[in-house]
Amino acid sequence: MKKRLLPVALLAWALTPAVEAQLESAYYGVSLGEFDYSTRAAGLSGKFNGSASSWRAMMGFQLTEHFALEGGYGETGTIRDTASASPPSTAELGFETELHRIVTIRGLGTLPFDNGLSLMGGIGFFTFKQEVALSLNGAPFLSADVSPDGFGNFAFYLGAQYDWDRVALRLSYEKWDFDSGAVLVFVGSDAQEVALSFFYKL
């Protein structure tokens, strides 16, 4: 038994510096933003467009000088809009939606400068739960909770960050690509978010 445990103990001892280095490069924080969302329903001449505030709790690991892994969890406020049905109908359709349980996993390339500024860009995967409610001429007629299967949606990310010893401030832009293509009777869904993030480095 001791002979079997020896290789395991040696491996653990060898990996300890790498694990400690990753833990020392960990950071966490919060992100507050403005979330813009648009989608189109079948039979409508235009799109629903709206925006709401959003937040994320974030955690990341700066694995190398030029690469980090980040994860986030958050939600948006309520997005509202109205649209008219295609002629000759005069009906007005009301739309409300909220995104909950937004889980994001992101790979992030970083380009640091000597003055504390860093530029970054990356691609990530996200999943979420979405609440949708529709009304016809002011009367509610449909509500549903929908969510994609797994992490089948992509997000493209750009940011600029300034670092101090233990804290960092980041301004970012994220473009969402809804790979599922349709939510209920909606097609062509699109979203983007501009956010300000505050991070504390361990």
Side-chain angles (χ1 to χ4, degrees), residues 105-177:
I105 300 173
R106 178 188 305 131
L108 195 62
T110 60
L111 180 61
F113 297 94
D114 294 336
N115 60 359
L117 180 68
S118 297
L119 299 180
M120 51 194 60
I123 185 170
F125 303 91
F126 66 92
T127 187
F128 57 92
K129 176 184 177 182
Q130 185 174 8
E131 296 180 2
V132 179
L134 298 177
S135 61
L136 184 62
N137 293 330
F141 79 93
L142 176 65
S143 63
D145 293 343
V146 294
S147 59
D149 295 328
F151 288 82
N153 300 281
F154 291 93
F156 304 93
Y157 189 89
L158 295 173
Q161 177 170 305
Y162 192 86
D163 286 85
W164 290 270
D165 288 339
R166 284 291 185 181
V167 298
L169 195 64
R170 181 192 300 175
L171 181 65
S172 63
Y173 170 83
E174 190 169 24
K175 175 72 172 177
W176 288 31
D177 180 20

Side-chain angles (χ1 to χ4, degrees), residues 81-98:
D81 197 17
T82 58
S84 299
S86 299
S89 173
T90 58
E92 185 177 71
L93 192 64
F95 174 82
E96 289 189 7
T97 189
E98 295 180 7

Side-chain angles (χ1 to χ4, degrees), residues 33-103:
E34 184 77 6
F35 189 85
D36 297 322
Y37 180 85
S38 66
T39 191
R40 180 173 59 84
L44 294 183
S45 56
K47 279 191 170 187
F48 293 115
N49 296 284
S51 61
S53 59
S54 61
W55 67 267
R56 308 270 186 96
M58 305 288 297
M59 185 169 186
F61 295 92
Q62 191 71 42
L63 301 180
T64 70
E65 183 182 9
H66 298 288
F67 183 75
L69 285 177
E70 293 185 345
Y73 178 90
E75 63 181 41
T76 75
T78 303
I79 300 163
R80 298 181 175 91
D81 197 17
T82 58
S84 299
S86 299
S89 173
T90 58
E92 185 177 71
L93 192 64
F95 174 82
E96 289 189 7
T97 189
E98 295 180 7
L99 276 67
H100 300 288
R101 302 178 189 173
I102 303 171
V103 179

